[in-house]
Short mmCIF file of all heavy atoms in Angstrom, two decimals:
data_model
loop_
_atom_site.label_atom_id
_atom_site.label_comp_id
_atom_site.label_asym_id
_atom_site.label_seq_id
_atom_site.Cartn_x
_atom_site.Cartn_y
_atom_site.Cartn_z
N GLY A 410 16.25 49.92 39.56
CA GLY A 410 17.43 49.09 39.77
C GLY A 410 17.24 47.62 39.47
O GLY A 410 18.12 46.81 39.78
N LEU A 411 16.13 47.23 38.85
CA LEU A 411 15.88 45.84 38.53
C LEU A 411 16.19 45.57 37.06
O LEU A 411 16.03 46.45 36.21
CB LEU A 411 14.41 45.49 38.80
CG LEU A 411 13.94 45.65 40.25
CD1 LEU A 411 12.47 45.32 40.36
CD2 LEU A 411 14.76 44.76 41.18
N LEU A 412 16.60 44.34 36.76
CA LEU A 412 16.82 43.95 35.38
C LEU A 412 15.50 43.92 34.63
O LEU A 412 14.51 43.35 35.11
CB LEU A 412 17.48 42.57 35.31
CG LEU A 412 18.98 42.54 35.56
CD1 LEU A 412 19.46 41.10 35.74
CD2 LEU A 412 19.73 43.19 34.41
N SER A 413 15.48 44.54 33.47
CA SER A 413 14.26 44.60 32.67
C SER A 413 14.12 43.34 31.82
O SER A 413 15.06 42.58 31.64
CB SER A 413 14.31 45.84 31.76
OG SER A 413 15.45 45.78 30.92
N LEU A 414 12.92 43.14 31.31
CA LEU A 414 12.65 42.02 30.42
C LEU A 414 13.04 42.43 29.00
O LEU A 414 12.26 43.06 28.29
CB LEU A 414 11.18 41.63 30.48
CG LEU A 414 10.80 40.69 31.63
CD1 LEU A 414 9.30 40.67 31.85
CD2 LEU A 414 11.30 39.28 31.35
N GLY A 415 14.26 42.11 28.62
CA GLY A 415 14.71 42.50 27.30
C GLY A 415 16.20 42.30 27.17
O GLY A 415 16.79 41.39 27.76
N TRP A 416 16.84 43.17 26.43
CA TRP A 416 18.27 43.09 26.16
C TRP A 416 18.96 44.26 26.84
O TRP A 416 19.56 44.12 27.89
CB TRP A 416 18.48 43.07 24.65
CG TRP A 416 19.87 42.82 24.16
CD1 TRP A 416 20.65 43.66 23.43
CD2 TRP A 416 20.66 41.62 24.31
NE1 TRP A 416 21.87 43.08 23.12
CE2 TRP A 416 21.90 41.82 23.65
CE3 TRP A 416 20.44 40.40 24.95
CZ2 TRP A 416 22.90 40.86 23.61
CZ3 TRP A 416 21.44 39.43 24.90
CH2 TRP A 416 22.66 39.66 24.25
N TYR A 417 18.83 45.45 26.28
CA TYR A 417 19.30 46.64 26.99
C TYR A 417 18.16 47.16 27.86
O TYR A 417 18.28 47.22 29.08
CB TYR A 417 19.78 47.69 25.99
CG TYR A 417 20.98 47.24 25.19
CD1 TYR A 417 21.10 47.52 23.84
CD2 TYR A 417 22.00 46.52 25.80
CE1 TYR A 417 22.21 47.09 23.11
CE2 TYR A 417 23.11 46.09 25.08
CZ TYR A 417 23.20 46.38 23.73
OH TYR A 417 24.29 45.96 23.02
N GLY A 418 17.07 47.53 27.25
CA GLY A 418 15.86 47.85 27.99
C GLY A 418 14.79 46.83 27.64
O GLY A 418 15.09 45.78 27.07
N PRO A 419 13.54 47.09 27.99
CA PRO A 419 12.46 46.16 27.64
C PRO A 419 12.41 45.92 26.14
O PRO A 419 12.50 46.85 25.34
CB PRO A 419 11.20 46.89 28.13
CG PRO A 419 11.70 47.82 29.20
CD PRO A 419 13.06 48.25 28.76
N HIS A 420 12.27 44.65 25.75
CA HIS A 420 12.23 44.30 24.33
C HIS A 420 11.47 42.99 24.18
O HIS A 420 12.02 41.90 24.37
CB HIS A 420 13.63 44.18 23.75
CG HIS A 420 13.64 43.98 22.26
ND1 HIS A 420 14.05 42.80 21.66
CD2 HIS A 420 13.28 44.81 21.25
CE1 HIS A 420 13.94 42.91 20.35
NE2 HIS A 420 13.48 44.12 20.08
N ALA A 421 10.19 43.09 23.83
CA ALA A 421 9.32 41.92 23.79
C ALA A 421 9.79 40.82 22.83
O ALA A 421 9.70 39.64 23.17
CB ALA A 421 7.89 42.35 23.45
N PRO A 422 10.27 41.14 21.61
CA PRO A 422 10.68 40.05 20.71
C PRO A 422 11.84 39.21 21.22
O PRO A 422 12.07 38.11 20.73
CB PRO A 422 11.06 40.80 19.42
CG PRO A 422 10.29 42.07 19.46
CD PRO A 422 10.28 42.44 20.91
N THR A 423 12.59 39.70 22.20
CA THR A 423 13.68 38.92 22.78
C THR A 423 13.15 37.81 23.67
O THR A 423 13.85 36.83 23.92
CB THR A 423 14.60 39.85 23.61
OG1 THR A 423 15.21 40.80 22.73
CG2 THR A 423 15.71 39.07 24.32
N LEU A 424 11.91 37.91 24.12
CA LEU A 424 11.39 37.05 25.18
C LEU A 424 10.75 35.78 24.64
O LEU A 424 10.48 35.65 23.45
CB LEU A 424 10.38 37.83 26.02
CG LEU A 424 10.85 39.18 26.55
CD1 LEU A 424 9.75 39.84 27.36
CD2 LEU A 424 12.12 39.01 27.39
N GLN A 425 10.50 34.84 25.55
CA GLN A 425 9.75 33.63 25.25
C GLN A 425 8.44 33.65 26.05
O GLN A 425 8.24 34.50 26.93
CB GLN A 425 10.56 32.39 25.63
CG GLN A 425 11.60 31.99 24.59
CD GLN A 425 12.70 33.01 24.44
OE1 GLN A 425 13.37 33.37 25.41
NE2 GLN A 425 12.91 33.50 23.23
N THR A 426 7.57 32.70 25.76
CA THR A 426 6.28 32.66 26.45
C THR A 426 6.43 32.46 27.94
O THR A 426 5.58 32.86 28.72
CB THR A 426 5.40 31.55 25.87
OG1 THR A 426 6.10 30.29 25.95
CG2 THR A 426 5.07 31.82 24.41
N TYR A 427 7.53 31.81 28.36
CA TYR A 427 7.72 31.54 29.79
C TYR A 427 8.43 32.68 30.51
O TYR A 427 8.67 32.59 31.71
CB TYR A 427 8.51 30.24 29.98
CG TYR A 427 9.81 30.18 29.21
CD1 TYR A 427 10.95 30.84 29.66
CD2 TYR A 427 9.91 29.45 28.04
CE1 TYR A 427 12.14 30.79 28.96
CE2 TYR A 427 11.10 29.38 27.32
CZ TYR A 427 12.21 30.05 27.79
OH TYR A 427 13.39 29.99 27.08
N SER A 428 8.81 33.74 29.82
CA SER A 428 9.54 34.83 30.46
C SER A 428 8.62 35.58 31.42
O SER A 428 7.49 35.93 31.07
CB SER A 428 10.08 35.79 29.40
OG SER A 428 10.98 35.14 28.53
N GLY A 429 9.12 35.84 32.62
CA GLY A 429 8.38 36.60 33.61
C GLY A 429 9.29 37.62 34.28
O GLY A 429 10.49 37.67 34.00
N PRO A 430 8.76 38.44 35.18
CA PRO A 430 9.55 39.51 35.79
C PRO A 430 10.84 39.03 36.47
O PRO A 430 11.81 39.77 36.54
CB PRO A 430 8.59 40.13 36.80
CG PRO A 430 7.24 39.84 36.25
CD PRO A 430 7.35 38.50 35.61
N SER A 431 10.84 37.80 37.00
CA SER A 431 12.04 37.30 37.66
C SER A 431 13.00 36.59 36.71
O SER A 431 14.12 36.27 37.09
CB SER A 431 11.66 36.33 38.79
OG SER A 431 10.97 37.01 39.82
N SER A 432 12.55 36.33 35.48
CA SER A 432 13.38 35.58 34.54
C SER A 432 14.78 36.15 34.36
O SER A 432 15.75 35.38 34.29
CB SER A 432 12.68 35.47 33.18
OG SER A 432 11.56 34.65 33.24
N PRO A 433 14.94 37.47 34.24
CA PRO A 433 16.30 37.98 34.01
C PRO A 433 17.30 37.61 35.09
O PRO A 433 18.51 37.73 34.88
CB PRO A 433 16.09 39.50 33.95
CG PRO A 433 14.67 39.67 33.52
CD PRO A 433 13.94 38.54 34.17
N TYR A 434 16.83 37.12 36.24
CA TYR A 434 17.76 36.89 37.34
C TYR A 434 18.54 35.59 37.24
O TYR A 434 19.36 35.30 38.11
CB TYR A 434 17.05 37.09 38.68
CG TYR A 434 16.97 38.57 38.90
CD1 TYR A 434 15.91 39.30 38.38
CD2 TYR A 434 18.03 39.27 39.46
CE1 TYR A 434 15.89 40.68 38.47
CE2 TYR A 434 18.01 40.64 39.55
CZ TYR A 434 16.94 41.35 39.06
OH TYR A 434 16.94 42.71 39.13
N TRP A 435 18.37 34.83 36.15
CA TRP A 435 19.36 33.80 35.86
C TRP A 435 20.67 34.50 35.48
O TRP A 435 21.71 33.86 35.41
CB TRP A 435 18.88 32.88 34.74
CG TRP A 435 18.45 31.53 35.24
CD1 TRP A 435 17.87 31.25 36.43
CD2 TRP A 435 18.60 30.28 34.55
NE1 TRP A 435 17.61 29.91 36.53
CE2 TRP A 435 18.05 29.29 35.39
CE3 TRP A 435 19.11 29.91 33.32
CZ2 TRP A 435 18.01 27.94 35.04
CZ3 TRP A 435 19.08 28.56 32.96
CH2 TRP A 435 18.54 27.59 33.81
N ALA A 436 20.62 35.79 35.25
CA ALA A 436 21.85 36.56 35.04
C ALA A 436 22.80 36.39 36.21
O ALA A 436 24.03 36.49 36.05
CB ALA A 436 21.52 38.04 34.84
N SER A 437 22.26 36.10 37.39
CA SER A 437 23.11 35.95 38.58
C SER A 437 24.10 34.80 38.44
O SER A 437 25.07 34.72 39.20
CB SER A 437 22.24 35.74 39.82
OG SER A 437 21.49 34.54 39.71
N LYS A 438 23.88 33.90 37.50
CA LYS A 438 24.83 32.80 37.31
C LYS A 438 26.21 33.31 36.92
O LYS A 438 27.20 32.61 37.09
CB LYS A 438 24.29 31.82 36.27
CG LYS A 438 23.05 31.08 36.75
CD LYS A 438 22.65 30.00 35.79
CE LYS A 438 21.51 29.18 36.39
NZ LYS A 438 21.22 27.96 35.60
N ALA A 439 26.25 34.52 36.37
CA ALA A 439 27.56 35.10 36.04
C ALA A 439 28.43 35.22 37.29
O ALA A 439 29.66 35.18 37.19
CB ALA A 439 27.37 36.48 35.41
N PHE A 440 27.81 35.34 38.45
CA PHE A 440 28.57 35.57 39.68
C PHE A 440 29.12 34.29 40.29
O PHE A 440 29.61 34.32 41.41
CB PHE A 440 27.70 36.34 40.66
CG PHE A 440 27.26 37.68 40.12
CD1 PHE A 440 25.92 38.00 40.02
CD2 PHE A 440 28.20 38.60 39.67
CE1 PHE A 440 25.51 39.22 39.50
CE2 PHE A 440 27.80 39.82 39.14
CZ PHE A 440 26.46 40.13 39.05
N VAL A 441 29.05 33.18 39.54
CA VAL A 441 29.78 31.98 39.97
C VAL A 441 31.26 32.30 40.11
O VAL A 441 31.97 31.67 40.90
CB VAL A 441 29.55 30.82 38.97
CG1 VAL A 441 30.22 31.10 37.62
CG2 VAL A 441 30.06 29.50 39.54
N SER A 442 31.71 33.32 39.39
CA SER A 442 33.12 33.73 39.50
C SER A 442 33.45 34.23 40.91
O SER A 442 34.61 34.16 41.33
CB SER A 442 33.44 34.82 38.48
OG SER A 442 32.57 35.93 38.63
N LEU A 443 32.45 34.70 41.66
CA LEU A 443 32.71 35.20 43.02
C LEU A 443 33.02 34.07 44.00
O LEU A 443 33.39 34.35 45.15
CB LEU A 443 31.51 36.01 43.52
CG LEU A 443 31.23 37.31 42.76
CD1 LEU A 443 30.03 38.03 43.35
CD2 LEU A 443 32.45 38.22 42.78
#
Side-chain angles (χ1 to χ4, degrees):
L411 299 178
L412 280 168
S413 58
L414 276 164
W416 187 242
Y417 296 140
H420 186 248
T423 296
L424 308 180
Q425 279 66 56
T426 56
Y427 52 78
S428 299
S431 294
S432 290
Y434 281 87
W435 254 34
S437 63
K438 292 188 173 190
F440 300 123
V441 68
S442 57
L443 295 180

